Amino acid sequence: MAQLLRRIKEFLGRIPLLAYLLGFLAATGVEIVAGQAFGLLIGLGGVPAFFGVTAALSRLNMDGGLGGLLLSIPSMLLYIVPALVYDVVIYGLPTLLVGRVLAKPVRWFTSTLPEWLTGLVHMVTLFLSMWVWGGLVGYRLLVVMYIGVNIIMASSLNLINGYMGEFSCGHAGFMAVGAYVSSLLTVWLFTQDDVFGAPVLGAGWSIILFPLILIVGGIAAGIAGLLVAFPSFKTRGDYLAIVTISVNFIIKSAIENIEKIGGPRGFMGMKGVLRTMTSVINVPWLLIWTFIGVLITLVVIHNFVSSTKGKGVVAIREDEIAAELMSVNTRHTKVLAFTISSFFAGVAGGLFAHVLGYINPSTFTIFKSTEALVMVYLGGMGSLTGSVLSAGIFTVAMEALRPLEVWKKVLVWLMLILLMMYRREGIMGGKELTDFISLERLGLRRPAKEVKGYAPAAD
Amino acid sequence: MPLLQINHLTHFFGGLRAVYDFNLNLEKGELIGLIGPNGAGKTTIFNLVTGAYRPSQGDIRLNGDSLVGLRPHQITAKGIGRTFQTIRLWNNLSVLDNIRIAQFAQIRYGVVDSILHTRRYRDEEKEIKKRSLELLEVFELRHLADEIVANLPYGQQREVEIVRALATKPRLLLLDEPAAGMNPGEIDTLLKLIQWIRKEFDLTIWIIEHQMRVIMGICERIKVIDFGETIAEGTPAEIQSNPRVLKAYLGEEGI
Ligand SMILES: Nc1ncnc2c1ncn2[C@@H]1O[C@H](COP(=O)(O)OP(=O)(O)OP(=O)(O)O)[C@@H](O)[C@H]1O
Ligand SMILES: [Mg+2]
């Protein structure tokens, strides 16, 4: 058994990341061609939206009391079997097969490219596979974009809670600032709206200005971040946590009290913005910008915290007084950390608002902040790859478990309790994914000069 | 002009007078000691000099510039490095990172440089890393550069803390009970090390010690305080026979 597992691990380890991505892209191709027919054939009634998980869970009878629930379990199991067959045949086999076949050529191909170009090729492939996979069922695309938004939320909050060791629980407040500022701008500039009237600029501007407006939303949120940064000079720990909660409430109430932008009823019109954008060039703009937004967030935070300047943030977590006495300008560093963190929360908010098409103040309460917290702790404090993983897992779980209705929440929070009891350090335990699987093995970095062909097998 | 000039330094914690009318002229290149019984106010004086506390009264000048009111990192950047009585390293970071971060004040690049990895950023980071490794090399700690500080034995942590203080490029080095928790053999090595870095880095050194015999051999001049007040000052030999000092230490086996 152990022997078998090792062989499997070895087999999977030989395939570079890019080959997996290409394999998955091929699998989505298979799904487009054969998914519908195959799904009907094995009794799934078509293409399952979410690997069959949601559909399987929706077989459960949630309204018939305990008896009803128990009686509905066989029907769920009956669905799971063909769903598994579907996943293996449509996704698993093509991915592994194509991945295995392409492993060698891919290693050769990437070895001829400079590293940044290799990275870009990975990104484009990942984007294409998400686009194709998501394009087949509209709901998937939505979930992919939620994941993106949540990755930005989790990794930006990680800068404060993980790297700097402060406990911020008001991240959604900054998200709200970004969401409202960017939505108001896009709706005012590019759509016919009850509040703002006719569009101010021609449709062509929308595709150019959209990313800039996201940045403006981020900047507004970054400025709001100073509401926490300045108090952080004087107070820390639990007390600063209270400050962040208050800031979250202040922002929410402030928006609620501005009648012009809908007050508590909320604000909409962002779907119109997207229609304007696609009317100019018909590509999935939001997916593109979410994708780029995630990339930029990760690169910025990673580069910042690995610079000597940014490591000042970690020194503050480890011993703030020693940091200040050992030449770290702690105030400056805190302002930087809070501004960068809330800037990205604002960008996430802008994307989120346009994905949803409608926002209202109660979207951005402390509950939303808590979700971001959960993702940070689930992934592991001070681990960016952990935040990426946990944002993916958390978002998918929240969507896939929807059929469980109220029980979904119970289950998710129960998981959190267990996590805090048995693995407080989170999935990654403060390490990065690259500490377990080397970049060379993933095929993202060229192996050292002496080694020819495959990357060395030992990590 | 003396390197460090302290005039009428007084500090209260609420009603407690921790330091009273402390005066000192420290010439460049000197190696002096500050001793006194538990709670005498020694660490408080270091905290006042490095800006951790703002003095209730008095003046502290480095090369004639007043330090009062400056924030600690500014004072460190002006050339005062220190270690702590109980080790205060950044425990979950590597030895190298501990040394790198202590060069924060030397950074000239901005956040944007660090995000875009501009040439300026790369040059400066290379320089910082090179200097850190050189420093570790000098102390024969280079092989531990990637080790997490918390995993090092106590003695090595003490050394790393001294290296970290040196990384801030001090002209004046304050050592707060560097020999605490060491056995006589280790203390000997430490004292040699202190004399050596004084020459090698062209430093002025001020050591706090609880037990006088530890620093008797290396200090040119010793000040003794008790309950915040200076009770004696002079060469080790003078101090040893001073009746006020003996009285302050009466009942303590330290002297
Ligand atoms: N932050 C503080 N707040 C209140 N009182 C303090 C503070 N720091 C020190 N003290 C008090 O000031 C007095 C001097 O303390 P200090 O730490 O300077 O003594 P010390 O000479 O370094 O003693 P030791 O040899 O034990 O290290 C003590 O009575 C101590 O309790
Ligand atoms: Mg002390």
Side-chain angles (χ1 to χ4, degrees):
Chain A
M1 188 64 193
Q3 181 82 9
L4 185 69
L5 275 179
R6 224 200 42 192
R7 301 264 315 254
I8 291 177
K9 212 179 139 200
E10 214 165 81
F11 174 81
L12 296 178
R14 282 238 166 117
I15 303 174
L17 184 60
L18 184 58
Y20 278 118
L21 292 175
L22 288 168
F24 186 72
L25 190 58
T28 57
V30 171
E31 185 170 46
I32 289 179
V33 176
Q36 180 72 16
F38 188 67
L40 283 172
L41 181 74
I42 59 174
L44 292 178
V47 174
F50 230 63
F51 305 104
V53 181
T54 316
L57 288 173
S58 61
R59 295 284 185 279
L60 290 175
N61 180 359
M62 300 304 294
D63 316 310
L66 188 61
L69 181 66
L70 289 177
L71 282 177
S72 64
I73 285 181
S75 124
M76 178 182 77
L77 294 178
L78 272 181
Y79 186 89
I80 286 182
V81 176
L84 276 177
V85 173
Y86 183 94
D87 290 343
V88 170
V89 172
I90 299 290
Y91 297 116
L93 290 180
T95 305
L96 287 182
L97 216 67
V98 174
R100 182 72 192 85
V101 171
L102 290 182
K104 233 177 182 168
V106 159
R107 289 236 186 250
W108 171 81
F109 174 65
T110 50
S111 73
T112 63
L113 300 179
E115 266 162 25
W116 66 268
L117 202 57
T118 309
L120 194 68
V121 171
H122 279 79
M123 291 311 149
V124 171
T125 316
L126 179 63
F127 174 79
L128 285 178
S129 54
M130 285 300 119
W131 184 15
V132 176
W133 182 73
L136 202 55
V137 184
Y139 172 57
R140 287 179 182 172
L141 213 51
L142 205 63
V143 176
V144 169
M145 289 189 285
Y146 283 155
I147 293 178
V149 168
N150 279 340
I151 290 177
I152 301 179
M153 283 300 279
S155 43
S156 57
L157 184 62
N158 207 338
L159 180 61
I160 302 301
N161 289 44
Y163 290 97
M164 197 156 81
E166 284 297 352
F167 195 81
S168 164
C169 359
H171 216 42
F174 307 120
M175 192 185 191
V177 173
Y180 268 88
V181 168
S182 58
S183 301
L184 290 168
L185 281 173
T186 54
V187 169
W188 169 55
L189 290 174
F190 307 122
T191 65
Q192 171 70 42
D193 182 77
D194 302 341
V195 184
F196 298 118
V200 177
L201 294 174
W205 283 103
S206 65
I207 53 174
I208 303 166
L209 290 184
F210 183 72
L212 295 180
I213 290 172
L214 285 181
I215 292 175
V216 171
I219 292 174
I223 293 170
L226 295 176
L227 285 175
V228 178
F230 289 126
S232 82
F233 297 167
K234 291 277 167 220
T235 183
R236 54 176 306 146
D238 302 352
Y239 304 103
L240 190 64
I242 306 275
V243 171
T244 61
I245 295 175
S246 318
V247 168
N248 198 157
F249 275 111
I250 291 173
I251 292 173
K252 176 183 171 262
S253 317
I255 298 171
E256 255 166 6
N257 283 300
I258 308 176
E259 258 323 300
K260 192 119 200 257
I261 57 173
R265 278 166 291 114
F267 183 78
M268 58 176 147
M270 287 77 89
K271 287 271 186 254
V273 175
L274 276 173
R275 275 195 297 276
T276 309
M277 287 169 75
T278 42
S279 76
V280 183
I281 303 174
N282 192 9
V283 290
W285 286 112
L286 263 184
L287 185 66
I288 293 174
W289 287 116
T290 307
F291 207 79
I292 294 176
V294 168
L295 276 184
I296 293 178
T297 309
L298 294 176
V299 169
V300 167
I301 295 179
H302 172 267
N303 286 359
F304 178 61
V305 296
S306 44
S307 71
T308 302
K309 199 182 186 75
K311 280 201 196 275
V313 169
V314 187
I316 290 177
R317 176 189 75 198
E318 294 291 308
D319 187 336
E320 182 174 347
I321 292 172
E324 177 74 32
L325 283 165
M326 286 296 130
S327 81
V328 177
N329 187 342
T330 54
R331 290 190 183 177
H332 177 77
T333 304
K334 282 177 180 178
V335 169
L336 270 181
F338 279 111
T339 328
I340 293 177
S341 170
S342 39
F343 170 84
F344 284 115
V347 172
L351 286 166
F352 181 71
H354 288 83
V355 172
L356 222 61
Y358 161 79
I359 45 176
N360 75 38
S362 41
T363 315
F364 305 103
T365 57
I366 183 146
F367 292 108
K368 190 96 199 149
S369 300
T370 316
E371 285 184 11
L373 274 177
V374 171
M375 287 185 271
V376 170
Y377 287 85
L378 178 69
M381 306 226 280
S383 168
L384 273 186
T385 42
S387 286
V388 174
L389 275 180
S390 65
I393 294 171
F394 184 81
T395 317
V396 169
M398 281 305 208
E399 292 304 324
L401 300 181
R402 242 173 226 289
L404 299 185
E405 294 164 21
V406 249
W407 292 102
K408 170 183 95 170
K409 296 244 157 103
V410 177
L411 209 68
V412 169
W413 300 118
L414 200 67
M415 258 168 39
L416 185 68
I417 293 176
L418 291 175
L419 184 79
M420 287 300 109
M421 285 170 71
Y422 296 106
R423 197 174 161 82
R424 230 170 299 169
E425 67 275 28
I427 302 174
M428 301 300 293
K431 293 209 165 66
E432 294 294 346
L433 199 58
T434 45
D435 294 336
F436 300 103
I437 313 171
S438 67
L439 286 173
E440 286 82 5
R441 163 150 307 174
L442 286 172
L444 278 163
R445 181 178 291 161
R446 244 171 289 167
K449 284 267 160 1
E450 311 81 69
V451 188
K452 289 211 172 78
Y454 284 132
D459 309 41
Chain B
M1 192 197 310
L3 178 65
L4 184 74
Q5 223 175 341
I6 300 178
N7 292 320
H8 307 297
L9 187 67
T10 297
H11 192 67
F12 290 90
F13 290 113
L16 176 82
R17 197 180 71 184
V19 177
Y20 179 69
D21 197 22
F22 183 84
N23 296 282
L24 177 75
N25 277 341
L26 187 51
E27 297 296 335
K28 186 173 177 312
E30 269 194 293
L31 197 170
I32 72 158
L34 176 66
I35 65 169
N38 274 323
K42 307 180 293 291
T43 301
T44 305
I45 292 178
F46 272 16
N47 282 335
L48 290 167
V49 172
T50 52
Y53 306 142
R54 200 193 163 105
S56 310
Q57 277 163 40
D59 194 24
I60 305 167
R61 287 172 185 275
L62 186 73
N63 274 330
D65 300 335
S66 177
L67 301 180
V68 175
L70 293 184
R71 290 179 43 218
H73 76 267
Q74 294 170 315
I75 295 178
T76 310
K78 278 180 174 287
I80 302 184
R82 73 175 282 185
T83 63
F84 300 89
Q85 185 168 350
T86 47
I87 301 177
R88 295 188 83 147
L89 288 165
W90 300 302
N91 273 323
N92 295 307
L93 292 179
S94 68
V95 171
L96 179 60
D97 280 346
N98 268 271
I99 310 303
R100 275 171 63 185
I101 297 169
Q103 294 169 64
F104 195 95
Q106 268 106 62
I107 297 173
R108 294 288 163 270
Y109 64 74
V111 212
V112 178
D113 292 302
S114 75
I115 289 164
L116 298 179
H117 281 195
T118 59
R119 154 137 248 154
R120 183 176 184 178
Y121 166 82
R122 279 176 288 148
D123 288 348
E124 280 189 40
E125 286 285 341
K126 215 198 239 155
E127 187 55 38
I128 289 176
K129 185 168 178 191
K130 186 168 143 251
R131 189 162 169 266
S132 310
L133 290 174
E134 277 167 6
L135 268 175
L136 288 170
E137 180 83 63
V138 167
F139 287 83
E140 290 168 13
L141 291 168
R142 191 181 165 140
H143 61 290
L144 298 174
D146 293 324
E147 201 68 40
I148 298 298
V149 159
N151 298 339
L152 298 182
Y154 181 81
Q156 274 175 344
Q157 292 195 12
R158 281 253 171 229
E159 280 176 20
V160 172
E161 213 190 24
I162 294 179
V163 181
R164 184 178 68 170
L166 292 174
T168 65
K169 294 200 174 165
R171 281 180 286 175
L172 169 62
L173 181 62
L174 311 183
L175 301 172
D176 194 345
E177 302 203 20
M182 291 188 171
N183 63 37
E186 289 172 328
I187 292 179
D188 259 2
T189 322
L190 177 77
L191 295 180
K192 289 210 185 77
L193 183 75
I194 291 173
Q195 285 172 304
W196 179 79
I197 54 179
R198 174 194 186 187
K199 265 213 241 73
E200 184 74 19
F201 294 88
D202 192 21
L203 285 173
T204 308
I205 297 182
W206 183 5
I207 306 181
I208 288 182
E209 192 32 73
H210 181 74
Q211 303 174 27
M212 187 166 100
R213 63 157 185 258
V214 171
I215 51 168
M216 234 164 49
I218 62 167
C219 289
E220 286 124 27
R221 189 152 66 98
I222 291 177
K223 269 180 104 80
V224 188
I225 59 170
D226 190 20
F227 292 111
E229 289 187 54
T230 308
I231 57 170
E233 178 169 8
T235 62
E238 287 165 2
I239 295 297
Q240 251 178 323
S241 53
N242 184 312
R244 279 192 77 184
V245 178
L246 291 173
K247 194 165 160 244
Y249 272 99
L250 207 65
E252 291 217 20
E253 22 97 70
I255 200 134

